[in-house]
Amino acid sequence: MICFSSIAVAQDVTAPKRLPRENLLVYRDAANQLRPVESQADWQQRRAEILAGMQSIMGKLPGDEKRCPLDVQVHEEVDCGQYVRRLISYQAEPGSRVPAYLCVPKVVLENDALPVHAALCLHGTDNVIGHGTVVGLGRPNRNYAGELAERGWVTLAPNYPLLAKYQPDLEKLGWESGTIKAVWDNMRGLDLLETLPYVKHGNYAAIGHSLGGHNSVYTAVFDPRIGAVVTSCGLDSYLDYYDGKPEVWQPGRGWTQVRYMAKLGDYQGRLAEIPFDFHEMLGAIAPRPVLVIAPLRDSNFRHESVDKVATAARQVYLLYDQPNSLQVLHPDVEHDFPPAMREAAYAFLASSLPDQPTKP
């Protein structure tokens, strides 16, 4: 049974400008009246408003007007023992090529084996080697693209815009934020995976740490081909980010950086009015499996806030009768992705991806 206890919903109640982040089971009807979500069809109306709120800040997700031939180029190939690591680039849109690492298990290349699962592996903040961190070229505890390849996955690790050697001119290309540009680059990366004959098509994993953690969430909201998500140290409520300190919402800091969403700077001092939050974004991914790893000693994101986010999002998972598909782990570590948590992430992904895609 679905409970609406957090807000009373009466007939013909005018909906507020910003629907409550803590109660996802209400929506705005065509007459701007507040209604209870009583079905999955009702939820789709609330979900559409969440996506609209995201795009009001990030900028509009483009359609076919930015699609072009991928024109994949291989720049380097390295034998990594159990798999081959290729430094490639692909054309995400006219005038913008995305550098990426593609890791392919040798057994997949050498045998006529059945297609295998693929994962989008999104890196954290690193302005020196960027996506190289997730293929073992940088700091420790980040080699999830390589480790998944050792476990038989095909992995693709695109670089995030405006980090390291990937410096697209966002304004010239027509993007309002680095966030939505990254989402588009990731979606085009999935298009690339769709062309590979040794990959199971239409149902992919997304895994990321820190920047890669929220990048995974944003991308999964917009692209139903992502069938399971692991986000490590990647989120809390915008209300709780660094305890809501005003200085972290100064233009050019934190979430308001150009490579994120500069428009969020307009909400300094009124964070509750931001038209979307992670409560709603996790709900928008439902019923697809999501594992949130939120360490107890993370200095960036507050684990208590993650629990509030998950409690709200779980309402939607309950609507789909999938309450256990949203999981939260609280390791007693700092802002890191240690071996035990990576093993838990790989096990979660292996058990989560069905043979057919699950659409929200």
Side-chain angles (χ1 to χ4, degrees), residues 16-263:
K17 183 178 180 180
R18 200 257 189 253
L19 296 183
R21 54 174 48 77
E22 71 278 0
N23 185 358
L24 303 189
L25 297 184
V26 292
Y27 72 98
R28 186 192 314 271
D29 69 11
N32 196 35
Q33 302 300 308
L34 199 61
R35 304 293 182 194
V37 169
E38 298 179 322
S39 67
Q40 294 174 16
D42 290 344
W43 162 246
Q44 290 303 315
Q45 297 194 59
R46 175 68 186 271
R47 188 180 190 276
E49 183 164 331
I50 293 166
L51 268 65
M54 293 173 70
Q55 291 175 91
S56 72
I57 302 298
M58 299 176 180
K60 191 176 187 304
L61 184 73
D64 290 340
E65 71 275 9
K66 274 191 177 286
R67 275 200 158 78
C68 61
L70 289 164
D71 186 29
V72 178
Q73 298 177 14
V74 179
H75 306 286
E76 176 188 78
E77 182 167 305
V78 176
D79 187 331
C80 294
Q82 294 176 261
Y83 64 94
V84 173
R85 185 185 73 222
R86 294 169 178 162
L87 176 60
I88 66 169
S89 64
Y90 59 90
Q91 191 169 229
E93 60 180 304
S96 179
R97 296 191 64 83
V98 181
Y101 283 105
L102 177 66
C103 298
V104 186
K106 287 183 180 178
V107 67
V108 172
L109 295 173
E110 295 169 355
N111 300 306
D112 292 329
L114 293 173
V116 300
H117 281 303
L120 194 62
C121 297
L122 305 178
H123 68 90
T125 304
D126 187 290
N127 210 16
V128 179
I129 60 173
H131 61 153
T133 58
V134 301
V135 295
L137 299 180
R139 65 187 69 179
N141 290 335
R142 301 293 187 271
N143 185 22
Y144 35 92
E147 290 173 346
L148 278 170
E150 290 175 343
R151 287 158 174 77
W153 293 66
V154 171
T155 63
L156 181 71
N159 208 95
Y160 191 90
L162 302 185
L163 283 176
K165 296 180 180 180
Y166 181 40
Q167 297 291 320
D169 188 331
L170 298 184
E171 184 176 0
K172 182 178 179 180
L173 290 168
W175 298 100
E176 294 185 44
S177 73
T179 296
I180 200 69
K181 167 60 170 164
V183 168
W184 180 254
D185 289 352
N186 295 339
M187 293 175 68
R188 295 293 281 147
L190 296 181
D191 291 345
L192 189 160
L193 292 174
E194 296 270 299
T195 70
L196 302 179
Y198 44 78
V199 164
K200 290 184 178 180
H201 296 160
N203 197 55
Y204 305 99
I207 180 173
H209 173 77
S210 195
L211 162 64
H214 41 261
N215 193 8
S216 296
V217 170
Y218 296 145
T219 305
V221 170
F222 286 108
D223 199 319
R225 292 176 294 178
I226 294 179
V229 177
V230 172
T231 170
S232 166
C233 299
L235 62 93
D236 61 5
S237 172
Y238 295 130
L239 301 177
D240 301 319
Y241 178 64
Y242 278 97
D243 298 322
K245 294 177 181 177
E247 58 266 29
V248 302
W249 291 94
Q250 296 283 347
R253 298 193 63 183
W255 288 115
T256 74
Q257 297 174 75
V258 172
R259 66 170 175 255
Y260 287 119
M261 295 164 275
K263 283 187 178 180

Side-chain angles (χ1 to χ4, degrees), residues 267-286:
Y267 290 86
Q268 183 186 16
R270 52 190 187 98
L271 301 182
E273 297 178 29
I274 295 173
F276 65 100
D277 208 335
F278 283 99
H279 315 59
E280 292 143 312
M281 288 185 283
L282 290 185
I285 297 173

